[in-house]
Amino acid sequence: MNSSRRLRLGLPLLTKELLEQSARKRTYVLRTVYAFLLFAGGLMMFYSVIREGVTNPLSVLGRGREVFEMLVGLQLAGIYLFMPAITCTVITSEKERKTLGLLFLTKLGPWTIVLEKYIGRCFTMLTFLMLSLPLLAFAYSMGGVNAENIIVMSWALLLTTLQVGAFALMCSCLFRSTTGAFVGTYLLGFLFYFGPIYLWSLFDARESGLQAIQEMWNFVFEPVFGSPVFARREQVLLAWVPPAMLFENLIVTTTPTLIFARSLPSILTVVILLILSRVFLVRRAFVPPGNAVLSWFRKLDGLFVRLNENRLTKGRVVFSDATTLPESEPIAWRETRKKSLGTVRYLIRVFLVLEAPVLAVCLLMVILEVGHGIPDELSLMFFLMWMLAVLLVVVKASSLISGERTHETLDVLLTTPLSTEEIVSQKLRGLWRLLFVVAVPLLTIILFETWLRGIITPRWGGRSSSGLYLVSSLLAVFIYLPLAAWLSLYFGMRMKTQSRALFGSLAAIVGWCLGPLLLLIPIFVMFTTGPEDSLMFLMLASPATIIPFTEFTDLHQIIRPPWLAVVLNFLFYGMMVLLIRGKCLRDASRHLGRAEPR
Amino acid sequence: MNTSTPDQPVIDVEKVTFSFKEHRALERVTFQVWPGTLHGFVGPNGAGKTTTLKLICTLLRPQLGRVTVFGHDVREDMPAVRRRLGFMPDHFSLYRQMSVFEYLDFFGAAYGFSQQERDRIVGDVLSLTDMEGRRDDLIQGLSRGLQQRVSLARVLVNDPDLLLLDEPASGLDPRARIELMEILRALQQMGKTIFISSHILTELAELCDSVTIIDRGSTRYSGPMNELLQRNAEQPTYKLKLESPANGLVDSLKASEGIREVTSLDDPRELRIVCESRALDANTLLRRILEHNVQVVSFGQDQRHLNEAFMHLTQEGVRS
Amino acid sequence: MSMVTVEKLHVRYGDVHAVRGVSFEIPKGEVFGFIGPNGAGKSSTIRVLATLQREFAGTVSVNGIDVARHPDVIREKIGYMPDFFGVYEDLTAAEYLHFFAAAYRLSRDERLRTVGDVLELTDLTHKADAPVDSLSRGMKQRLALARVLLHDPDVLLLDEPASGLDPRARIEVRELLKAMQEMGKTILISSHILHELAQLCTRIGIIEQGELVAEGSLDDIFQQLSLKRTVHVQLSGPLNGLVEQIESIPGVESIDQQADRLAIRLSEHETAVEDLHAEIVRLGGRIRMFQPEAMDMETAFMKLTEGKTS
């Protein structure tokens, strides 16, 4: 085994990366999961293609293109979902094991470290992408796809992998802990891809500015490349997103130079991100432990204090966390009075940071859009808030117990006479406050939307009625958020480290949202030919579906009776909350490692 | 290549000051380490030992003052310094999923050795640390003592002339510690200079040639070990242990000629006797004691223990 | 009656058989030193006593109460300090103690008094309002000891209380332990550093690979091993056959003539150390130095353990 597992290449770090990955169970689990999702998704899409009007075997021919496009979409989703998770640990794990200093002392320069680590992770992702070759061959055999399409697709996927990888690598260099890098990659990544487009659409609905950029760019580069770089105006806002730039080239055959021209901004961002990684790697190699969120809030705190010391409020403090001593519930006391993100002061800050932009956007929408229906900006904001809320809740809930474990404080707590249930429920006290804080901005958006739907535009084009919308959205907030909280708490109790608990609970939630869609629907489609309604009922098996359903479509038209679907769905998830909660409390002693009276 | 001469120190730390934000970790620290010595670096927890080591191995840069290693300034000639030293941090810094061989081979490659060279080097360091039998074991399955030895083997991969070891013995049981000490002795005989930080003193006393004591960021002593232990040779001190306490003896000794001071220790049966000068020799003193009809359990010159020296040198300030 | 009784204790973690049939008793008021190499099963045994191990075989009781059956009662009776202890960085020392006082369900008035008392005892009163994070390692260790005393437990379980401390902090901890012993507490201390324990413990158990290889008082263990004492003697003047004469003293096993001294190996139950001294003087030796080697725990340890775990 050893003669084969040795360093043959001249790239020690890269070889080490691959060696280490091959020794980890996680690598294989991840690959299997990816393959499963890919093939389940592929199967589902094939059936939906074939189901539509296939009368004889020959009519399948030429439909390979549809399959092909879906396949590309699936792969892209895979990259955006998996690549950050794979890559964001790359430098932080060295920081956490304190081996980064040793690497600096060897002959490996910072550039070597950055690049070899980067290539190692991209290589892993590419092996994931290889898994789709059989599906691709199938699509190719159905016709409608030519070799050129496949080359462009490969290029687009490669470029996306490189870009997402470079972004996650930069975050990994920037943050101190894996957890920080993970959350940071997704949040900053969201801003990176959607920030500009969102801001643009929010503040300037006119597209003349975009057109100017488009024309300017094309004017400069058209002579160079022989054809316009930006085919459409909107592309300017997504110039650095490879799929947005290249997707139409998958179908329409174009020259390689044009493809290169369109990839140029993306390539540029990859280079910039790598340079940033190199800078952060050295600058932030030995960052002392410290809560980034906390220090950020401290700075904000100073600002608030200065704002407060004006003539009007005269530095009055409405909510103060007086340093009192614990009464009868010490853990709850610590969670709500002493933990940085548990105190009223900080929660109010969080609340303001979240609520202020939400309110601003809501009001802006009301002013601009009255009578025009539900603006997409509001819906986007709503989803963003959802993701943020779930992320905050998951991070906090999964670290409740695992945090005590990594700080080695759990054992001491367990030897006190407090019962396990008391420990768990007191630990949760701070979490409920946070839950409340993230729920309010969501409720704000829901109320605004209900108002827009109900009073101004009753039953406006293809969207649910205000009553149904209100009930369904409220139930989602009040059932899904606690569901996420309890689920993460459960993972936090079972996993040894904080980052594993976080990854585990996020994976479970994403899996739960996507799994039923990918698994149930193909089965359903294969074995029944029932009415569409029951398919839609099935769709509701995933917690992720009801939110976009109520947001974008009219439940009345999709499912009959709509109320029944909503009630059934929430009954089911309400039961799940109770079930997981019961399991958490019942099994707490076992998972925490504490003897109970026999 | 070898720029150091016998009369040039391997490590020369001169008036080095270093702060982390408001916290001043080092304040004008000065000491030298000479070639071929095993130099102990002793201080209470949080005295600035790890910071000093990181400065020497170029992971931190001195803010004030000068650190030279083999005559190279750590700020200006970083690669030259890095090439010639091996650093072992206080945590083991291992890749736990790799086998011992893979781990060492990786660092060999990272130091730019070719495959043939690495085969030889890894074999050498494994035999030096007596780890040949564990070549193919995964690191995560090894005991703490063995992990420590893997870490030491890693330090030796680039055949450094200077070894910097941060708390190598902490958390090891006596057997593992004694084995580690043997390896270090062997390395010293190979001509390597070893700089070792520790808060466990007893093991250092027998091992080190010279020692630096640091407390709250400043040096308290730096020099040969024996000088530290026998500082007041002009006033010989003896330690006496009796079978049972004898109060009469203390008083009469105090009154006796040539004796400066007699103090009882924690154990009332133990006495410390300080003589005025060398005039009063040990045998005469013992005779005088025996005249009092006491049963002597032990008698001998009181060598200042490293522990005591440490306590004496670090006691000045109130610990904060 | 014994305060702590452990009988035929077995602990398994999956395939690893960490503790294999350990039995010992600690009478009330004794200090039991638990010694062994890293990974010998010390912490596992202590965790069973601290009610942190669900699965184990054998009988373990504290003050006659079975640990397996009534862990909730046991928790009131023990004070446990783990080998690695984290502290809540967001609390001050006093808050930290109040937190645990409340967790041990002390009433509010009691809490104020007790926290004051234990701070005083551990000499941390001046640091009461300092954040726990800012304390030095030694102080954190003392704070952890203060916490252990809050609910006035009968038995203290201390896992490696002195590891990683500098000599000064170690002496402070030792003094504290002495004070606790005087308070009548039964103490179980585990350690792999031997000399610090020798002065403190009334009984000692040496464990290796999950099995207790020796148990009893220090003297018992030395007897059991029939260890020879070495006495270093410096004589002034010519020896004149003195060495042979000393060699004929009963109990003297051998004499090693070193450059400036004689190293005499003595089996103590035949001739006591003091008698050897008197004998040499009687034989006319002019003694310049007479130093018996301290009872060497390290030798005992090396002799008893075979180093399988290291």
Side-chain angles (χ1 to χ4, degrees), chain A residues 329-573:
Chain A
E329 296 186 317
I331 302 171
W333 165 79
R334 184 171 159 260
E335 291 296 319
T336 54
R337 291 295 175 82
K338 291 288 152 188
K339 277 270 195 73
S340 44
L341 285 178
T343 57
V344 177
R345 265 151 66 89
Y346 282 111
L347 281 176
I348 287 175
R349 307 273 189 276
V350 176
F351 176 71
L352 288 179
V353 166
L354 293 179
E355 180 71 5
V358 165
L359 257 179
V361 169
C362 284
L363 291 173
L364 202 67
M365 287 303 118
V366 169
I367 295 162
L368 292 177
E369 306 271 344
V370 168
H372 301 288
I374 309 300
D376 284 338
E377 284 80 9
L378 206 58
S379 301
L380 194 65
M381 187 97 189
F382 186 57
F383 284 115
L384 195 64
M385 271 312 301
W386 255 110
M387 281 199 278
L388 213 66
V390 170
L391 204 63
L392 274 172
V393 168
V394 168
V395 169
K396 172 102 182 172
S398 65
S399 69
L400 274 184
I401 301 292
S402 56
E404 294 256 351
R405 198 171 269 146
T406 36
H407 286 106
E408 322 243 7
T409 47
L410 186 64
D411 281 353
V412 171
L413 210 57
L414 291 180
T415 50
T416 63
L418 294 172
S419 76
T420 314
E421 260 182 52
E422 276 176 297
I423 293 176
V424 172
S425 61
Q426 287 188 30
K427 283 243 76 155
L428 282 169
R429 211 66 62 81
L431 179 65
W432 299 139
R433 288 189 174 193
L434 179 75
L435 222 59
F436 176 75
V437 163
V438 296
V440 169
L442 280 175
L443 294 178
T444 313
I445 302 178
I446 293 172
L447 287 180
F448 262 98
E449 272 210 54
T450 314
W451 183 54
L452 285 174
R453 279 165 201 261
I455 295 170
I456 300 170
T457 53
R459 298 284 322 260
W460 179 81
R463 298 215 189 197
S464 309
S465 72
S466 54
L468 187 61
Y469 172 81
L470 184 66
V471 171
S472 160
S473 301
L474 284 183
L475 278 173
V477 172
F478 287 116
I479 289 177
Y480 289 162
L481 280 182
L483 185 66
W486 281 108
L487 200 69
S488 318
L489 180 76
Y490 184 70
F491 274 92
M493 287 199 308
R494 296 205 60 167
M495 304 286 179
K496 283 243 155 51
T497 65
Q498 232 168 319
S499 48
R500 255 191 235 176
L502 178 65
F503 278 104
S505 24
L506 277 178
I509 287 171
V510 170
W512 199 356
C513 290
L514 297 182
L517 297 182
L518 296 180
L519 193 66
L520 287 177
I521 293 163
I523 294 172
F524 183 82
V525 173
M526 265 187 277
F527 296 112
T528 57
T529 45
E532 292 286 293
D533 277 8
S534 30
L535 178 66
M536 286 306 158
F537 265 110
L538 259 180
M539 295 278 274
L540 294 180
S542 158
T545 41
I546 192 120
I547 301 166
F549 270 26
T550 41
E551 186 70 26
F552 289 122
T553 56
D554 186 355
L555 278 178
H556 288 283
Q557 286 175 1
I558 296 178
I559 311 163
R560 271 165 234 285
W563 286 96
L564 183 66
V566 172
V567 167
L568 272 181
N569 184 291
F570 287 111
L571 262 182
F572 174 69
Y573 286 105

Side-chain angles (χ1 to χ4, degrees), chain A residues 37-38 46 69 72 79 144 186-187 214 231 246 281 290 303 344 371 404 406 455 457 468 502 552 566 568 574:
Chain A
L37 290 179
L38 184 73
F46 288 168
E69 281 172 29
V72 176
I79 294 172
Y186 281 107
L187 284 185
Q214 180 202 3
L246 295 173
L281 178 74
L303 185 73
V344 177
E404 294 256 351
T406 36
I455 295 170
T457 53
L468 187 61
L502 178 65
F552 289 122
V566 172
L568 272 181

Side-chain angles (χ1 to χ4, degrees), chain C residues 19-263:
Chain C
V19 179
R20 310 159 182 235
V22 166
S23 306
F24 60 87
E25 288 187 7
I26 311 176
K28 191 169 165 39
E30 300 250 346
V31 180
F32 185 84
F34 206 28
I35 301 174
N38 308 115
K42 294 178 303 234
S43 293
S44 301
T45 311
I46 293 181
R47 286 178 66 85
V48 170
L49 281 165
T51 75
L52 290 173
Q53 184 66 37
R54 285 171 65 88
E55 312 289 336
F56 62 88
T59 329
V60 178
S61 62
V62 174
N63 205 2
I65 302 163
D66 194 288
V67 171
R69 218 166 299 150
H70 304 288
D72 40 342
V73 185
I74 297 292
R75 281 179 200 129
E76 312 254 5
K77 301 219 174 287
I78 55 161
Y80 167 64
M81 187 166 120
D83 51 348
F84 292 102
F85 59 96
V87 280
Y88 296 121
E89 66 272 19
D90 38 23
L91 302 184
T92 67
E95 282 172 343
Y96 178 78
L97 293 174
H98 272 282
F99 174 85
F100 279 102
Y104 277 104
R105 304 211 175 93
L106 268 63
S107 75
R108 250 188 105 73
D109 304 336
E110 268 181 291
R111 261 183 253 162
L112 271 175
R113 209 190 55 237
T114 317
V115 169
D117 286 352
V118 295
L119 279 174
E120 180 92 33
L121 182 74
T122 50
D123 195 20
L124 283 171
T125 314
H126 63 293
K127 288 282 174 187
D129 294 324
V132 171
D133 219 23
S134 72
L135 300 183
S136 73
R137 213 190 142 110
M139 286 182 172
K140 280 185 193 162
Q141 202 90 6
R142 279 190 276 154
L143 182 67
L145 282 171
R147 175 188 57 74
V148 166
L149 290 175
L150 280 173
H151 58 298
D152 197 23
D154 301 326
V155 179
L156 303 180
L157 307 168
L158 312 176
D159 203 354
E160 304 273 1
S163 80
L165 294 184
D166 60 64
R168 179 179 301 279
R170 212 145 56 207
I171 288 168
E172 286 164 355
V173 166
R174 206 168 61 210
E175 292 304 314
L176 260 176
L177 289 177
K178 240 182 235 167
M180 290 179 184
Q181 188 187 4
E182 278 156 21
M183 288 157 74
K185 308 268 179 227
T186 308
I187 307 177
L188 192 159
I189 313 175
S190 86
S191 182
H192 59 254
I193 301 173
L194 303 162
H195 39 268
E196 75 193 7
L197 278 182
Q199 297 137 304
L200 202 66
C201 299
T202 53
R203 289 173 81 78
I204 274 174
I206 297 184
I207 188 171
E208 189 185 34
Q209 290 208 307
E211 284 172 68
L212 216 52
V213 289
E215 197 235 322
S217 70
L218 250 184
D219 284 342
D220 287 348
I221 290 180
F222 277 96
Q223 293 263 296
Q224 204 175 318
L225 294 171
S226 62
L227 281 183
K228 304 288 177 290
R229 195 86 177 254
T230 307
V231 183
H232 297 275
V233 179
Q234 266 182 21
L235 298 169
S236 55
L239 291 172
N240 288 341
L242 200 58
V243 177
E244 288 72 30
Q245 284 180 317
I246 296 172
E247 223 162 18
S248 64
I249 297 171
V252 173
E253 295 270 315
S254 64
I255 297 180
D256 185 13
Q257 284 204 42
Q258 290 164 354
D260 61 334
R261 63 183 67 181
L262 303 173

Side-chain angles (χ1 to χ4, degrees), chain A residues 277-291:
Chain A
S277 304
R278 156 75 178 78
V279 172
F280 290 143
L281 178 74
V282 179
R283 285 266 175 90
R284 300 187 50 91
F286 308 108
V287 187
N291 194 332

Side-chain angles (χ1 to χ4, degrees), chain B residues 45-69:
Chain B
N45 305 113
K49 297 194 293 287
T50 302
T51 310
T52 311
L53 279 167
K54 283 199 168 163
L55 284 170
I56 296 170
C57 74
T58 72
L59 288 179
L60 292 176
R61 285 159 158 266
Q63 290 153 343
L64 279 175
R66 220 169 103 88
V67 179
T68 55
V69 179

